Amino acid sequence: MAGARLFVFPAFVLGLTVVSAYVEELDDKFNENRKSEPWLVEFYAPWCEYCKTFEPIWYDVGAELKSLGSPVNVGKLDTTAHSSVLSDFNIRGYPAIILVKGEKSFEYRGPRTKDGIIEFTNRVAGPVVRPLTSAQLFQHVLSRHDLFFLYIGGRSPLKGQYHKVAAEFIIYNYFFSASEEVLPQAVSLQEVPSIAVFKDGTYYLYNEKRDGNLSDWVGRERFRCYFQMDSFTLYQMGETTKLVALAIVDETNPTTESVRYKALMEKVATEYRDHYNTELALPSLIVMNMTIDGYYLPEQKVETMEELLQFLNSVLNGRSKLLGGNGYVRRMKRLYYRTGFASAPFVTCFLLSLPVGLVVMIVWGVCTAVPVDEDKADEGALLATGTRPAASQRKRTEQTSNESKKED
């Protein structure tokens, strides 16, 4: 057994050394060398614990890209030792993953997994808009990607806009172009050129009159209608003006109820997409209460000064509904749900009824008590000792007369 342990440990160290050989440690000279070839760089800090945990994944990324023949070099840079390099990058946290192509840089904002990082690298390192030259290639893309954008047609001003928007959103999604002949007969176009987004088993066409700016439309459509959310995607959706409906279920222990809940949400998300594909209108008016982190929204659109004054006065008078906040009532409600009482109402009622019932009994006993005078109290005391009141009175009288005779 000891020999086996001695054998496994060196093998593990050797494997780690070989994998780490595909990741280059960078220094201040990186700014000079980055323009000649693409680089995928991890910006880290030695004190960052998550950077240490992420290190094996980063080495696997370097080895995988090397085995795939990718032209992208993989490196890591200590920001505390080479702070001069940071002037060209907006580092907001560690580890920061950025792909550098000449003068341009693209930050990865997805899950810190090997597959997610490699897909991001392959997508961003290649052409911004990839041509689909055959129906077979289109079917391959359709089966491989859950969501992608497609420009259909030849040269046009719309194609120029499409390329600009693709460069803006390439860090999130794939962008393709094709001729009308490449598409299957099931795809019906109203006009050519057109732009479509394929997702959720169907497609949606861009209409400038209805959808407005192309960049805004892509920003709204770059998410599937229904999908499993992660923290990174949630923050991305927070950067938009979309309202997000979440179904909270336990994926590790699925139940019939959770499966039904997920199916219900998916059905509503897909079949009622046009009805609920809404967002907060811009510009919007909001009043913030920074002391309790609450806010107020007008019940109707504010267009005149009178309507604005009415809204502000309703906030001051307390007639406008407070949303969010950290007030006492809000905290009690959050505590109620966090402690699990909301899921067990009968247990909650029983626990709350115990102290309430005790207080009621005490108050009832105090209010229904009958006052007792001194004579009745003495009689009660005598009865308790087994002596009758009349006999006690005669005995007391005899004692008094005897004392008087002695004095005489």
Side-chain angles (χ1 to χ4, degrees):
M1 178 65 70
R5 291 178 180 176
L6 291 175
F7 174 76
V8 171
F9 179 74
F12 172 76
V13 174
L14 178 61
L16 183 62
T17 304
V18 172
V19 171
S20 62
Y22 300 119
V23 177
E24 183 175 345
E25 189 74 35
L26 303 175
D27 53 24
D28 293 328
K29 297 181 180 180
F30 172 65
N31 278 336
E32 301 176 3
N33 302 328
R34 73 179 198 181
K35 299 178 182 180
S36 57
E37 48 190 358
W39 280 89
L40 181 67
V41 183
E42 176 206 2
F43 294 85
Y44 72 98
W47 47 261
C48 174
E49 291 297 329
Y50 186 76
C51 295
K52 299 176 183 178
T53 306
F54 176 70
E55 189 174 35
I57 300 177
W58 190 244
Y59 289 150
D60 288 342
V61 169
E64 183 75 11
L65 289 175
K66 188 68 174 180
S67 65
L68 294 175
S70 174
V72 178
N73 301 291
V74 181
K76 54 188 300 188
L77 191 142
D78 183 356
T79 57
T80 60
H82 310 287
S83 57
S84 60
V85 181
L86 301 181
S87 58
D88 294 340
F89 306 97
N90 183 21
I91 306 298
R92 294 177 292 180
Y94 298 108
I97 301 172
I98 297 178
L99 189 141
V100 182
K101 290 173 57 178
E103 297 293 339
K104 297 181 179 180
S105 59
F106 306 87
E107 183 177 1
Y108 175 65
R109 299 180 182 178
R112 297 317 196 241
T113 61
K114 183 186 73 171
D115 294 339
I117 296 172
I118 290 176
E119 183 181 4
F120 162 81
T121 304
N122 293 332
R123 181 173 65 247
V124 178
V128 174
V129 177
R130 303 165 187 250
L132 301 179
T133 56
S134 65
Q136 292 78 10
L137 190 56
F138 172 82
Q139 291 296 335
H140 173 74
V141 170
L142 187 64
S143 62
R144 188 174 182 272
H145 301 292
D146 295 327
L147 188 153
F148 65 91
F149 293 89
L150 179 67
Y151 172 84
I152 306 104
R155 292 181 177 272
S156 69
L158 182 61
K159 188 174 184 179
Q161 298 178 30
Y162 180 74
H163 275 262
K164 291 181 181 179
V165 174
E168 179 184 357
F169 290 95
I170 189 61
I171 60 175
Y172 304 115
N173 305 105
Y174 278 94
F175 292 82
F176 299 93
S177 63
S179 62
E180 188 177 1
E181 293 75 17
V182 170
L183 302 180
Q185 295 181 354
V187 179
S188 177
L189 303 177
Q190 299 175 352
E191 59 181 357
V192 177
S194 291
I195 298 175
V197 56
F198 289 80
K199 63 178 182 178
D200 303 316
T202 184
Y203 66 95
Y204 305 97
L205 297 175
Y206 166 68
N207 186 300
E208 185 176 4
K209 294 181 180 179
R210 179 193 63 204
D211 302 318
N213 183 271
L214 178 59
S215 178
D216 295 337
W217 178 76
V218 171
R220 292 192 300 267
E221 297 291 346
R222 67 184 182 89
F223 301 101
R224 296 168 58 192
C225 294
Y226 178 81
F227 60 97
Q228 185 172 353
M229 180 74 70
D230 56 61
S231 59
F232 296 94
T233 308
L234 183 60
Y235 278 110
Q236 291 177 24
M237 299 191 78
E239 296 175 356
T240 68
T241 56
K242 276 183 172 293
L243 301 176
V244 183
L246 299 176
I248 312 300
V249 296
D250 187 359
E251 290 287 347
T252 58
N253 299 305
T255 62
T256 304
E257 185 66 13
S258 64
V259 173
R260 185 190 68 83
Y261 220 76
K262 290 170 61 178
L264 181 65
M265 287 288 291
E266 185 174 9
K267 185 178 180 65
V268 171
T270 53
E271 295 185 5
Y272 293 86
R273 173 185 181 276
D274 294 335
H275 182 72
Y276 292 108
N277 190 23
T278 59
E279 55 188 15
L280 185 65
L282 297 177
S284 291
L285 183 65
I286 184 172
V287 175
M288 301 290 297
N289 187 338
M290 304 306 295
T291 58
I292 61 172
D293 294 333
Y295 64 95
Y296 302 88
L297 291 174
E299 296 181 356
Q300 58 186 7
K301 188 176 181 180
V302 176
E303 296 181 348
T304 64
M305 181 178 292
E306 289 75 12
E307 293 175 345
L308 175 58
L309 293 174
Q310 290 178 3
F311 169 57
L312 296 178
N313 290 332
S314 66
V315 172
L316 295 176
N317 297 335
R319 290 184 285 107
S320 184
K321 183 180 180 180
L322 175 66
L323 303 174
N326 290 318
Y328 178 76
V329 177
R330 294 284 180 180
R331 291 179 181 179
M332 292 299 295
K333 288 183 178 180
R334 290 169 186 162
L335 180 62
Y336 172 72
Y337 283 97
R338 287 174 182 174
T339 52
F341 287 152
S343 59
F346 294 105
V347 177
T348 303
C349 293
F350 175 73
L351 294 177
L352 293 178
S353 63
L354 288 179
V356 173
L358 181 61
V359 172
V360 169
M361 292 180 62
I362 295 174
V363 173
W364 179 80
V366 172
C367 295
T368 57
V370 179
V372 181
D373 55 20
E374 295 181 357
D375 294 339
K376 291 183 177 181
D378 293 339
E379 291 179 1
L382 292 172
L383 290 173
T385 57
T387 307
R388 293 187 177 184
S392 177
Q393 184 65 25
R394 286 196 301 269
K395 186 175 181 181
R396 199 181 299 121
T397 304
E398 291 176 359
Q399 290 178 352
T400 303
S401 62
N402 292 335
E403 291 177 357
S404 299
K405 290 179 179 181
K406 289 181 180 181
E407 291 178 356
D408 293 341

